[in-house]
């Protein structure tokens, strides 16, 4: 009898240049997600990391785009992409929902460890829609504050 195969996952981490605003280092994100994988007995099939990349767009996020290509090719047969928080996946609502749709077309769902969201569950997709819109507003507020701070000097 075949031993139960572990569910395979990709880990995706991202920090923008404004790390002090976000306060989630790549290491902190990774260790939290690895603990989550251990707890749920998930196998990590790949890790993707974009350092110093804004979440405003998926353009220029090399690791993110590589991960999406790997999902489309089905090379690792993963079931989930894990992110620390939805804002690490992206801060542009259209990008987030579009990327999620592509992933789901290939049978891959998103788990936001810290937000407790799983897009394979009914309420998960709704939460992602709401939170990605909030993340976009938050990003705009950060941009405005940073701009205002620069003008005060």
């Amino acid at each position: 009898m075949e031993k139960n195969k572990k569910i395979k996952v990709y880990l995706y981490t991202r920090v923008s240049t404004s790390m002090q605003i976000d306060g989630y280092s790549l290491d902190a994100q990774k260790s939290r997600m690895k603990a989550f994988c251990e707890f749920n007995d998930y196998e990590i099939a790949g890790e993707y990391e974009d350092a110093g990349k804004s979440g405003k767009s998926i353009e220029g996020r090399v690791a993110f785009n590589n991960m999406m290509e790997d999902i489309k090719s089905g090379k690792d047969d993963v079931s989930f992409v894990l992110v620390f928080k939805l804002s690490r996946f992206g801060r542009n609502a259209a990008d987030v929902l579009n990327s999620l749709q592509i992933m789901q077309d290939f049978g891959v769902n998103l788990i936001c460890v810290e937000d407790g969201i799983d897009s394979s569950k009914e309420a998960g997709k709704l939460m992602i829609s709401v939170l990605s819109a909030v993340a976009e507003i938050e990003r705009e507020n950060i941009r405005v504050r940073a701009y205002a701070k620069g003008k005060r000097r």
Side-chain angles (χ1 to χ4, degrees):
M1 202 165 115
E2 192 183 318
K3 191 176 167 267
N4 283 352
K5 277 186 15 192
K6 280 190 178 188
I7 290 174
K8 292 183 182 176
V9 301
Y10 284 153
L11 302 186
Y12 177 73
T13 50
R14 181 185 66 78
V15 287
S16 61
T17 46
S18 52
M19 229 173 91
Q20 66 281 0
I21 297 169
D22 293 329
Y24 306 114
S25 72
L26 291 168
D27 288 342
Q29 291 177 48
K30 270 189 208 151
S31 63
R32 177 73 180 88
M33 290 192 295
K34 284 180 177 171
F36 182 87
C37 287
E38 233 166 85
F39 182 80
N40 289 288
D41 203 27
Y42 292 160
E43 180 185 325
I44 298 166
E47 294 183 39
Y48 301 82
E49 175 182 300
D50 281 315
K53 298 291 179 189
S54 166
K56 77 171 186 269
S57 165
I58 57 172
E59 280 177 45
R61 286 165 57 192
V62 176
F64 184 87
N65 289 307
N66 288 344
M67 177 184 75
M68 292 302 286
E69 288 308 311
D70 288 347
I71 287 169
K72 290 176 196 170
S73 77
K75 74 174 192 124
D76 295 306
D77 191 30
V78 295
S79 299
F80 294 100
V81 167
L82 268 61
V83 292
F84 179 69
K85 287 175 83 71
L86 183 62
S87 63
R88 302 301 86 216
F89 189 71
R91 286 188 183 272
N92 174 310
D95 272 351
V96 166
L97 297 174
N98 188 33
S99 299
L100 178 61
Q101 188 58 60
I102 292 167
M103 285 167 48
Q104 288 182 324
D105 288 347
F106 289 90
V108 178
N109 275 287
L110 180 67
I111 293 179
C112 308
V113 174
E114 210 61 13
D115 299 322
I117 299 171
D118 176 345
S119 73
S120 68
K121 307 231 181 335
E122 202 49 50
K125 187 131 187 194
L126 175 65
M127 278 301 293
I128 286 170
S129 300
V130 172
L131 285 176
S132 53
V134 169
E136 191 167 347
I137 293 164
E138 195 179 297
R139 185 199 67 188
E140 189 55 26
N141 288 341
I142 289 168
R143 197 186 63 74
V144 168
R145 280 197 306 269
Y147 178 76
K149 200 182 275 181
K151 289 196 75 124
R152 269 189 259 137
R153 288 198 173 133

